[in-house]
């Protein structure tokens, strides 16, 4: 008999996400549904406003990828108006973006995703000396894993556990059958968990040097950047460089080696080598490090075939809402999309609770609509986006930096390239991407310093002609994958805005053909050790680094009458 | 009885309450995290000044912080972007402020808690029951209401965000709306507010202390908790229920570029010569004169910077309805319509409390700028 498991809220992510899976009598997942349970309608709110304000509004799509949507909102308007920002501004944005990636990826691994791999309590039985030796297997210069340091970490943990105060570690699935680290490996990871809490503050400061604050930096403007005083101040520049290097060091000596350790330890665990989900991969060009050089190229891989990479044709991107809570179902290009909310709600049903009982629950209407996330498609195909797509496409394209990084990761882990197409691969690819940014991001810094010697311009001038119509877009990448924002400007104000974001691609519900996004597809066929503790499902979904506020948006291009929205008289 | 005596008596009362879950005390936790008593007292001294209390209150503040481990906290996510949690968790995580915040026992917080699904729902329900009338409630995000109330649901029972927030408010000891979304509805409540999102104060009759900002600084959040423990009453609030100790001054009052304003030296275009020299940003739209917050004093990310230092004006993010009333963010406020083409003009919204005042301030600031500029020209 099939049984339904609901995970809502799926915690340790950004936003409100519900996953429902249906398992058979052997606890094998037969069907999966992914849906968001919050709608805010930011793209509707951007309409009618000054285009110069758009970036500030789109930034509030998400406080986690806090720079991505800000930059995207600004660049979409620049593209529409035909503005080329000065190189200094472009490179400053790259430096802020590098800080974002170097913040986001380690924090995702240690604070959000790591506990899916690390059994914290097991670290209590670690042999400190053995753990210290173990760390040398993954790097020549281990980070914060000397025997004395590990002893300190272990004692801190012991005090926590003895007093029954596990803090953020409380209520995890300790002792779950799919944990694979030895106690010593768990202790190494725990030490780095604590170090990451410190280091993530440093890299947030690095962004704030040019960005004013983090989250929600405030130094980009249509035409360039405003932090000219910081750029012309050598002490501020040195501050950025120093903080960058300090965090790059953590990535190279802690985060990246830990992923090698994880890849080796988990290489026999079926639930992390599960189906990759969608095996079509899509990424966009990102990280401009000089006037004509980018760290990553864009491209499309279909059916997991690494021998062929297609160039991206943005005309082939569509979104549809057959199974999403919007009125208009048909697949339309982002410039031509239209949508009105059509919330049909959850329905009465049953699911297994945390005691194993079947209980009354509100469940997805799986025959109808069940998510606020739409279904973006490329040539009608679902795509997987994110660091894995980025690394695979650039590897297949022969991007020298990426080939070198991937080959050395595979060599260190004894894994074939095919093994990357999995939950484990998604997590590993994120570390590879972070390492590439850490190793090569300062190219942008050096280019900036060189350029500032002869050019102090930081902002292009422009005019917005109220009698002209404009349209433009940003296409690039965020830490979670390919990101695009599309806008139209008319009468001097925003006429239309929409965003096609990484988590929309990955968390997509089923489309008109019944084909789901990568979250849903990667769960099918997974066997759960214990239906009361669906750790395997949570681990697989966390490997995408879900960012759900980003994914929930409304497309609204043509003739959407705002008066159709219910106006609450009590407001 | 002096204030010091009153505070001490309150702290005595608090001390009689049991520790949460028989945990180690906060002073022990501090010690284990490598903070010396001296570091702790330095922090208490800074926090005393931050709360605008006399220096003699430093030991009281230290004691209040140590007793914060008697307070359970429930943090709810409504319609939001997680920026407020990020502000709290990312920028200051290992500092003493944050340790205290962690230590006041976060019973429920979706971004960091381990439990998910049913387990998470149980955690929330049991915390509300176990600490009935004793917990501090912090809410992040606006709250969808009306016909669109179920645009936000949480948990296997599909409860609306509004239902959960109402229930949590009913039994809370003190209620804080963290960030502009929770305090004033925020971005989702900006015109045309398609989800009918409202502030937390609109769904409960109890007093809500607003801690706005997009996001607010961690210090403003922590300071409120300390303040609450000290006084055991709500802090003095302004017309928008913001604690006066944090939001009484305009950004403009303590701005590092204030001298430039007074001298009539303005940036006219981002990237111009004035921008390189750090001139005042008023003419490129700085809303510092209309915005009440302590950013110009406290800055962000451990004093690394703040918008004006990075050459961009303040956008007024801690003011009610700032998305609709302060834009365009890169233009001066005085003498323009609030929406260029489709929307309302200035007159239509000037009846809302405060906007009129802000307009008057705007005029005064503009006049001041003109005078200053004339003075300068005379030289």
């Amino acid at each position: 008999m099939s049984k339904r498991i609901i995970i809502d809220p799926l915690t340790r992510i950004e936003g409100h996400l519900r996953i429902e899976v249906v398992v058979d009598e052997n606890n094998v997942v037969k069907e999966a549904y992914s849906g968001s349970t919050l709608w805010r309608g930011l793209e509707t709110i951007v309409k009618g406003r000054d285009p110069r304000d758009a970036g500030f509004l789109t930034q509030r799509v998400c406080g986690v990828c806090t720079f991505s949507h800000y930059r995207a909102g600004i660049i979409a308007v620049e593209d529409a108006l035909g503005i080329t920002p000065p190189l200094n501004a472009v490179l400053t944005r790259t430096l802020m973006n590098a800080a974002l990636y170097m913040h986001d990826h380690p924090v995702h691994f240690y604070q959000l995703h790591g506990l899916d791999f690390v059994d914290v309590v097991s670290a209590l039985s670690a042999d400190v000396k053995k753990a210290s030796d173990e760390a040398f297997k993954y790097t020549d210069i281990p980070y914060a894993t000397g025997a004395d340091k590990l002893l300190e970490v272990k004692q801190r943990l012991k005090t926590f556990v003895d007093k029954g105060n596990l803090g953020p570690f409380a209520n995890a699935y300790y002792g779950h059958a799919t944990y694979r680290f030895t106690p010593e490996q768990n202790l190494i990871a725990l030490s780095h968990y604590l170090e990451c809490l410190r280091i993530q503050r440093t890299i947030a400061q690095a962004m704030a040097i040019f960005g004013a604050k983090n989250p929600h930096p405030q130094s980009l403007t249509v035409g360039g950047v405003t932090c000219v005083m910081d750029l012309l101040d050598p002490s501020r520049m040195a501050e950025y460089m120093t903080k960058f290097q300090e965090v790059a060091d953590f990535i190279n000596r802690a985060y990246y080696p830990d992923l090698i350790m994880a890849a080796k330890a988990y290489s026999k665990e079926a639930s992390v080598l599960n189906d990759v989900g969608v095996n079509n991969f899509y990424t966009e060009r990102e990280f401009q490090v000089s006037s004509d050089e980018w760290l990553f190229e864009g491209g499309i891989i279909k059916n997991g075939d690494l021998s062929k990479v297609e160039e991206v044709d943005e005309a082939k991107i569509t979104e549809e809402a057959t199974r999403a809570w919007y009125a208009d179902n048909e697949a339309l290009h982002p410039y031509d999309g239209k949508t009105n909310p059509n919330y049909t709600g959850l329905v009465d049903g049953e699911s297994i609770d945390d005691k194993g009982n079947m209980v009354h629950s509100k469940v997805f209407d799986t025959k109808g609509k069940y998510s606020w996330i739409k279904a973006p498609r490329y040539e009608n195909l679902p795509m997987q986006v994110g660091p894995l797509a980025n690394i695979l496409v650039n590897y297949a394209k022969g991007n020298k930096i990426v080939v070198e990084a991937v080959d050395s990761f595979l060599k260190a882990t004894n894994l074939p390239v095919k093994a990357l197409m999995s939950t484990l691969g998604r997590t590993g690819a994120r570390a590879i991407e972070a390492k590439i940014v850490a190793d090569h991001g300062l190219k942008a810094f050096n280019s900036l310093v060189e350029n500032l010697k002869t050019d102090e311009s930081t902002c292009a001038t422009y005019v917005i002609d109220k009698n002209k119509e404009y349209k433009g877009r940003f296409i690039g990448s965020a830490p979670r994958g390919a990101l695009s924002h599309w806008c139209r400007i008319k009468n001097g104000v925003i006429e239309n805005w929409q965003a096609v974001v990484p988590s929309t691609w990955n968390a997509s519900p089923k489309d008109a053909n019944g084909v789901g996004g990568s979250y849903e597809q990667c769960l099918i066929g997974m066997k759960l050790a214990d239906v009361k503790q669906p750790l395997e499902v949570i681990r697989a979904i966390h490997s995408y680094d879900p960012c759900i506020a980003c994914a929930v948006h409304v497309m609204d291009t043509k003739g959407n009458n705002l008066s159709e929205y219910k106006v609450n008289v009590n407001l | 009885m002096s204030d010091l005596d009153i505070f001490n008596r309150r702290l005595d009362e608090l001390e009689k309450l049991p520790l949460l879950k028989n945990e180690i005390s906060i002073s022990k936790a501090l010690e284990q995290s490598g903070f010396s008593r001296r570091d702790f007292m330095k922090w208490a001294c800074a926090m005393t000044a931050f709360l605008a209390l006399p220096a003699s209150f430093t030991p009281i503040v230290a004691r209040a912080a140590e007793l914060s481990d008697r307070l359970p906290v429930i943090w709810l996510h409504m319609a939001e972007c997680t920026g407020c949690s990020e502000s709290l968790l990312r920028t200051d995580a290992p500092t003493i402020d944050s340790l205290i915040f962690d230590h006041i026992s976060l019973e429920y917080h979706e971004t960091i808690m381990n439990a998910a699904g049913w387990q998470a729902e149980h955690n929330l329900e049991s915390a509300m029951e176990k600490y009935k009338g004793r917990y501090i409630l912090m809410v992040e995000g606006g709250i969808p209401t009306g016909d669109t109330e179920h645009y936000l649901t949480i948990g296997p029972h599909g409860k609306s965000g509004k239902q959960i927030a109402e229930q949590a408010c009913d039994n809370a000891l003190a209620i804080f709306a963290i960030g502009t979304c929770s305090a004033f509805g925020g971005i989702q409540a900006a015109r045309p507010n398609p989800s009918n999102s409202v502030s937390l104060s609109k769904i409960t009759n109890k007093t809500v202390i607003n801690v706005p900002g997009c996001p607010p600084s961690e210090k403003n959040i922590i300071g409120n908790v300390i303040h609450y423990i000290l006084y055991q009453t709500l802090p003095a609030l302004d017309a928008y229920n913001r604690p006066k100790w944090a939001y009484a001054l305009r950004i403009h009052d303590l701005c590092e570029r204030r001298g430039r304003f007074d001298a009539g030296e303005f940036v006219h275009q981002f990237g111009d010569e004035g921008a390189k020299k750090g001139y005042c940003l008023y003419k490129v739209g700085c809303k510092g004169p209309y915005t009440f917050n302590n950013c110009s004093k406290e800055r962000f990310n451990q004093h690394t910077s703040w918008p004006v230092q990075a050459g961009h004006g303040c956008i007024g993010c801690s003011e009610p309805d700032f998305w609709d009333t302060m834009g365009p963010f890169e233009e001066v406020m005085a003498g323009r319509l609030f929406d260029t083409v489709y929307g309302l003009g200035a007159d239509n919204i000037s009846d809302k409390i405060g906007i009129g005042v802000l307009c008057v301030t705007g005029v005064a600031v503009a006049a001041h700028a003109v005078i200053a500029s004339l003075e300068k020209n005379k030289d």
Side-chain angles (χ1 to χ4, degrees), chain A residues 92-325:
Chain A
T92 304
R93 291 171 182 181
T94 300
L95 294 180
M96 291 169 70
N97 205 25
L100 175 68
Y101 273 66
M102 289 163 69
H103 183 281
D104 225 41
H105 287 352
V107 166
H108 171 257
F109 179 67
Y110 290 106
Q111 270 69 46
L112 304 180
H113 188 29
L115 302 179
D116 304 331
F117 289 95
V118 180
D119 187 339
V120 175
V121 172
S122 144
L124 279 175
S125 50
D127 178 318
V128 176
K129 180 71 177 63
K130 259 171 71 184
S132 174
D133 293 343
E134 173 79 12
F136 281 94
K137 290 185 189 162
Y138 314 104
T139 171
D140 293 338
I141 327 169
Y143 196 99
T145 51
D148 55 345
K149 176 73 186 172
L150 291 176
L151 186 63
E152 181 201 324
V153 171
K154 193 176 152 180
Q155 279 179 341
R156 275 176 73 183
L157 176 67
K158 189 171 181 315
T159 315
F160 271 136
V161 173
D162 285 351
K163 300 288 179 185
N165 173 20
L166 292 174
F169 308 133
N171 302 324
Y173 304 130
Y174 301 119
H176 193 277
T178 63
Y179 279 129
R180 286 286 175 267
F181 276 156
T182 63
E184 286 71 29
Q185 292 170 331
N186 281 314
L187 185 60
I188 292 168
L190 181 63
S191 175
H192 293 159
Y193 178 104
L194 297 170
E195 292 295 317
C196 187
L197 283 175
R198 178 178 59 80
I199 214 76
Q200 55 95 30
R201 180 186 60 178
T202 305
I203 197 68
Q205 287 169 341
M207 185 194 278
I209 288 165
F210 302 126
K213 62 194 177 89
N214 173 316
H216 294 333
Q218 194 167 314
S219 65
L220 304 194
T221 186
V222 173
V225 295
T226 66
C227 50
V228 57
M229 287 182 83
D230 299 302
L231 294 176
L232 297 177
D233 180 342
S235 71
R236 290 294 266 179
M237 294 292 279
E239 216 180 313
Y240 177 89
M241 189 179 70
T242 310
K243 288 179 191 301
F244 182 104
Q245 286 169 330
E246 190 184 340
V247 178
D249 190 48
F250 174 81
I251 289 170
N252 271 307
R253 293 170 49 210
Y255 177 32
Y256 180 76
D258 282 356
L259 259 298
I260 294 175
M261 180 169 88
K264 288 185 140 177
Y266 278 81
S267 63
K268 301 275 186 294
E269 171 49 44
S271 67
V272 298
L273 299 170
N274 60 315
D275 195 288
V276 68
V278 168
N279 66 359
N280 306 312
F281 301 96
Y282 159 43
T283 195
E284 291 283 1
R285 185 165 79 163
E286 193 51 85
F287 275 101
Q288 185 172 351
V289 291
S290 75
S291 59
D292 58 357
E293 197 185 346
W294 281 256
L295 285 187
F296 302 116
E297 295 301 320
I300 301 251
I301 289 171
K302 288 179 182 160
N303 298 316
D305 179 3
L306 298 183
S307 68
K308 215 167 81 186
V309 182
E310 290 178 25
E311 292 305 309
V312 180
D313 176 357
E314 64 185 63
K316 291 177 176 169
I317 297 172
T318 58
E319 285 200 288
E320 60 124 283
T322 315
R323 313 301 296 278
W325 284 312

Side-chain angles (χ1 to χ4, degrees), chain B residues 92-108:
Chain B
D92 270 334
T95 68
I96 200 157
D97 305 19
S98 198
L99 190 67
I100 287 169
F101 189 84
D102 289 344
H103 209 78
I104 51 183
S105 187
L106 221 36
E107 293 294 314
Y108 186 88

Side-chain angles (χ1 to χ4, degrees), chain A residues 447-483:
Chain A
S447 303
L448 178 61
V449 169
E450 272 311 304
N451 200 58
L452 281 168
K453 288 178 185 169
T454 56
D455 168 19
E456 291 186 353
S457 60
T458 49
C459 234
T461 54
Y462 61 93
V463 284
I464 301 176
D465 184 344
K466 294 198 173 174
N467 300 314
K468 266 178 81 177
E469 289 187 33
Y470 304 93
K471 71 173 186 179
R473 84 287 184 269
F474 164 83
I475 289 198
S477 288
R480 290 162 188 80
L483 170 69

